[in-house]
Amino acid sequence: MKLSGLRVAALLTGLLVLTCGQKTSPVLPETCETQVDFARCIQPIFNARCVRCHGTNGGLSLEEGQAEQNLINVPSTCDPAFLRVAPGFPQQSMLYLKITDDPAKCGSRMPPSGDPLPQEEIDLIRRWIESLAP
Ligand code: HEC
């Protein structure tokens, strides 16, 4: 009994090491852990999960070359009291409120259906918004 308990513990430790060592988001390069560059770290998230709705055909375009200028310091359409991205302030940025399903958001959580963004990608978007602080 003692031995099997140990084995279970060893197995669990192994699993923990495995899952923690693994990157959960295949779309992102390793270097995003140290520096959040928009083109390399954030745009790939939009490409993979958002542009199928947020394309160039009206509304908020999150396409390459347009996403930043459509987000930073631009008032939110569904609640103009908020900016889509307020440089330095994730909690005042509609983008962040929507991806975290914050009660202060207007409209739906983003993405509106399916799984929410992985925590790793939410953290990265938060760090990107923080990094824009003047
Ligand atoms: C299935 C289609 C769909 C997907 C996928 C989707 N969106 Fe949206 N998004 C919408 C619609 C429709 C609205 C407008 C209604 C609303 O705000 O809830 C919207 C609104 C928004 C707004 C608010 C814009 C404003 O000015 O108020 C943001 C920010 C946003 N989406 C970000 C994202 C991000 C980031 C992703 C990817 C993680 C994403 N969306 C994925 C359909 C989508």
Side-chain angles (χ1 to χ4, degrees), residues 2-66:
K2 228 183 186 176
L3 247 187
S4 78
L6 268 179
R7 265 200 219 114
V8 169
L11 195 74
L12 284 179
T13 314
L15 268 180
L16 204 71
V17 169
L18 260 182
T19 43
C20 292
Q22 229 163 37
K23 286 195 63 69
T24 46
S25 177
V27 295
L28 300 173
E30 288 289 336
T31 45
C32 295
E33 314 252 320
T34 45
Q35 201 195 357
V36 189
D37 174 71
F38 181 84
R40 282 184 311 109
C41 307
I42 305 298
Q43 186 64 52
I45 301 175
F46 293 163
N47 291 347
R49 309 189 193 275
C50 316
V51 294
R52 72 184 167 93
C53 296
H54 292 277
T56 44
N57 41 3
L60 165 60
S61 168
L62 295 176
E63 297 272 7
E64 220 155 318
Q66 298 179 31

Side-chain angles (χ1 to χ4, degrees), residues 2-4 27 31 42 52 64 68 79 91 94 96 105 116 123 126 129:
K2 228 183 186 176
L3 247 187
S4 78
V27 295
T31 45
I42 305 298
R52 72 184 167 93
E64 220 155 318
E68 275 182 287
D79 185 353
Q91 294 297 342
M94 190 51 73
Y96 188 74
K105 75 180 185 309
D123 288 345
R126 176 181 49 73
I129 296 174

Side-chain angles (χ1 to χ4, degrees), residues 45-46 49-54 60 62 70-71 74-79 84 94-96 98-99 106-113 117 125:
I45 301 175
F46 293 163
R49 309 189 193 275
C50 316
V51 294
R52 72 184 167 93
C53 296
H54 292 277
L60 165 60
L62 295 176
N70 286 338
L71 289 171
V74 177
S76 155
T77 307
C78 69
D79 185 353
R84 287 170 176 166
M94 190 51 73
L95 168 69
Y96 188 74
K98 274 165 129 21
I99 61 173
C106 55
S108 316
R109 170 178 68 80
M110 289 295 140
S113 54
L117 291 187
I125 290 173

